[in-house]
Every structure is written in structure tokens, then in C-alpha cells.
């Protein structure tokens, strides 16, 4: 029989060190996404006014400022999305296998989707 | 509070947070639940954005396919819901950032900022679509 408390058992195992990382990065990406999100919506507005044709998209993304902001927006969005969805999965999925499958899928999915967005913006901006 | 009993794994069975459904809905809790719901829903919007961008990069034919979906009735309904969700999540996110620095935490302030935030999200959604539709029909 163990007579130590759970706290005593945990002591000496070292600190988590990055305990605030998730919370902090969620706030940082949130702050970034305020201007980037508004910029994105106004960009879509402008695009709709141009008829949202393929030419209009290419014209828009050819600008270095647009391309850079779009890449920033996409990367920040998928980072923020990963952090948020991770908490949702951790809160509601209690089956261990299912939970880890979903968490790994989420991470990989966000990397793949983020990379696809970055590639697409560069491809449109550089090649048209 | 019930006294905690030891569970099989040796962990103490500590009291858990009461279940959501036994509470009478309050503005604050409902807005909080919607923050999470809009967040999850916006994830599908991010996936759509990814498809749309890839299609645009792949060429006009693929882009036309993505636009066919986006300009269908389902597409428009989703776009409208995504617009509202984005503004809602953005406005409520700003509200959270104020809380994080310790501002507006009183009961009165949380209710006032909640009402203001919902109004702002609805207003911005309405404005976006009013301009969009005005351009579309002109």
C-alpha cells in the first residue's frame, strides 16, 4: 500500500516547463488574427466586387503584401485552429485510443492544410 | 459535497463539475458555448479556404469547381454561417483578451460586453452581406 499522496508522487518528476505554452500561443495567435481576420474579410469583399473570377484572384495575390499577409493569415489560422480543436478533443473524447488518433490526425491535418495554403499562395503569386 | 472515495486506479474520486444541463442558461454561459461552437464550425471554413486556394493554384478549371460549390445554395448558406461565426468568434475573442488583462470582469460588465459583442457580430455580418448583395445585384 502506498501511503504517499498524489502530490508527493508527482514531486521530483520535474516541472512541465512548457505549461503556459498552449495558453500563451493561443493568445498570441488570437491577437494576430484580429487584424489579419479583418484584412481577410475585406479582401474577400474586394474579390466579390471584382466578380471573384480566377483572374481577379491571381491579380489580388500577385501583390507582395497580399501574398505575405495571406500566408501569415493561413499559418496563424491553422496554428490557432490546432490549439482550439485540441482542447475540444481533450474535453469531450475520453476513449484513449480515439482521443490520441484524433489529436495526431488534427496535428498532421493542420500541418498539411497549412502547407497547402502556403504553397497555393506562392504558386499563384509567383506563376499566376 | 460527497466524501471522495478511492477509485480502482488509486486516484481519489474528486467532486466533478456539475453537468451543463442542470443549469438554467445564462447569457454568459450561452455566449461561451457559442464561442466554442463557432470555433469548431470555423475549422470547416478553414478547410474550405484550403480547398479554394488549392483550386485557384491548380488553374481556372479547378477554381470553377470550387466556385460551383461556393455559389450553390448550400455554399451560400455555409458562407453566411461562416461569416457570422468569424465575426462572432473574433468579437468574443477580443472580449476574452480584455478579460485576460483583467478588464471588464464584473458581472455587469460581462453582460454588457456580451450584448455589445453579439450586436457587433450581427451588425458586421449584416453589413458584409448587404454590401456583397448590393454589388451582386448592381
Amino acid at each position: 500500500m502506498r501511503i504517499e499522496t498524489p502530490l508527493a508522487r508527482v514531486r521530483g518528476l520535474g516541472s512541465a516547463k512548457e505549461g503556459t505554452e498552449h495558453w500563451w500561443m493561443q493568445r498570441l495567435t488570437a491577437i494576430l488574427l484580429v487584424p489579419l481576420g479583418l484584412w481577410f474579410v475585406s479582401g474577400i469583399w474586394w474579390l466579390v466586387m471584382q466578380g471573384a473570377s480566377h483572374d481577379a484572384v491571381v491579380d489580388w495575390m500577385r501583390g507582395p503584401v497580399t501574398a505575405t499577409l495571406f500566408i501569415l493569415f493561413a499559418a496563424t489560422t491553422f496554428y490557432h485552429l490546432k490549439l482550439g480543436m485540441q482542447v475540444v478533443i481533450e474535453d469531450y473524447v475520453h476513449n484513449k485510443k480515439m482521443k490520441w488518433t484524433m489529436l495526431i490526425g488534427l496535428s498532421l491535418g493542420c500541418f498539411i492544410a497549412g502547407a497547402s495554403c502556403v504553397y497555393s499562395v506562392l504558386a499563384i503569386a509567383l506563376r499566376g | 459535497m460527497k466524501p471522495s472515495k478511492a477509485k480502482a486506479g488509486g486516484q481519489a474520486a474528486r467532486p466533478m463539475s456539475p453537468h451543463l444541463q442542470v443549469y438554467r442558461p445564462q447569457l454568459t454561459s450561452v455566449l461561451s458555448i457559442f464561442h466554442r461552437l463557432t470555433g469548431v464550425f470555423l475549422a470547416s471554413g478553414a478547410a474550405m479556404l484550403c480547398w479554394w486556394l488549392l483550386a485557384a493554384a491548380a488553374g481556372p478549371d479547378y477554381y470553377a469547381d470550387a466556385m460551383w460549390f461556393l455559389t450553390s445554395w448550400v455554399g451560400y448558406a455555409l458562407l453566411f454561417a461562416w461569416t457570422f461565426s468569424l465575426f462572432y468568434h473574433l468579437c468574443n475573442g477580443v472580449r476574452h483578451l480584455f478579460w485576460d488583462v483583467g478588464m471588464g470582469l464584473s458581472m455587469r460588465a460581462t453582460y454588457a460586453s456580451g450584448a455589445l459583442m453579439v450586436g457587433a457580430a450581427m451588425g458586421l455580418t449584416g453589413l458584409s452581406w448587404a454590401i456583397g448583395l448590393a454589388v451582386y445585384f448592381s
Side-chain angles (χ1 to χ4, degrees):
Chain A
M1 191 184 129
R2 293 175 105 151
I3 53 166
E4 53 188 353
T5 63
L7 178 67
R9 221 172 298 147
V10 160
R11 273 193 185 135
L13 294 178
S15 77
K17 291 197 179 78
E18 287 164 358
T20 55
E21 168 106 358
H22 184 283
W23 187 91
W24 182 245
M25 287 313 288
Q26 194 168 41
R27 310 300 131 159
L28 276 190
T29 49
I31 293 167
L32 255 177
L33 279 170
V34 174
L36 285 174
L38 291 172
W39 167 82
F40 169 72
V41 172
S42 63
I44 297 297
W45 254 350
W46 183 85
L47 207 58
V48 168
M49 284 179 195
Q50 310 297 310
S53 65
H54 188 259
D55 288 342
V57 177
V58 173
D59 267 357
W60 185 39
M61 280 189 205
R62 271 215 179 118
V65 177
T66 308
T68 307
L69 286 177
F70 216 119
I71 287 170
L72 260 179
F73 173 69
T76 316
T77 294
F78 279 104
Y79 197 148
H80 190 79
L81 189 162
K82 190 259 165 191
L83 295 175
M85 288 300 290
Q86 182 193 337
V87 176
V88 173
I89 293 169
E90 286 167 350
D91 279 357
Y92 304 128
V93 183
H94 299 306
N95 179 299
K96 218 171 183 178
K97 266 186 197 160
M98 180 62 118
K99 185 177 93 175
W100 282 101
T101 308
M102 288 177 82
L103 286 175
I104 292 167
L106 174 73
S107 289
L108 295 181
C110 285
F111 271 119
I112 293 167
S116 312
C117 287
V118 171
Y119 158 77
S120 302
V121 173
L122 287 177
I124 297 166
L126 301 176
R127 144 166 80 73
Chain B
M1 213 195 293
K2 279 192 211 161
S4 52
K5 281 184 272 180
K7 274 200 291 197
Q11 263 184 320
R14 299 199 170 79
M16 308 239 302
S17 160
H19 293 291
L20 219 49
Q21 54 267 36
V22 302
Y23 275 117
R24 185 162 58 90
Q26 304 143 298
L27 182 74
T28 41
S29 65
V30 170
L31 295 184
S32 169
I33 291 163
F34 261 90
H35 191 70
R36 186 165 270 206
L37 278 180
T38 52
V40 172
F41 181 63
L42 282 169
S44 69
M48 180 69 232
L49 179 70
C50 190
W51 174 27
W52 182 78
L53 272 178
L54 274 172
D61 289 347
Y62 293 96
Y63 182 75
D65 286 344
M67 287 307 280
W68 168 83
F69 175 73
L70 281 173
T71 54
S72 68
W73 280 109
V74 176
Y76 276 126
L78 281 172
L79 280 172
F80 186 83
W82 281 324
T83 313
F84 177 72
S85 296
L86 190 142
F87 282 131
Y88 182 97
H89 204 81
L90 194 142
C91 292
N92 204 37
V94 171
R95 193 164 158 245
H96 267 280
L97 289 173
F98 275 105
W99 288 337
D100 288 338
V101 291
M103 286 166 76
L105 285 166
S106 74
M107 200 59 100
R108 261 186 75 179
T110 50
Y111 272 81
S113 64
L116 181 72
M117 177 276 289
V118 172
M122 284 179 171
L124 286 165
T125 309
L127 188 71
S128 296
W129 279 75
I131 294 177
L133 289 174
V135 171
Y136 184 78
F137 285 114
S138 65

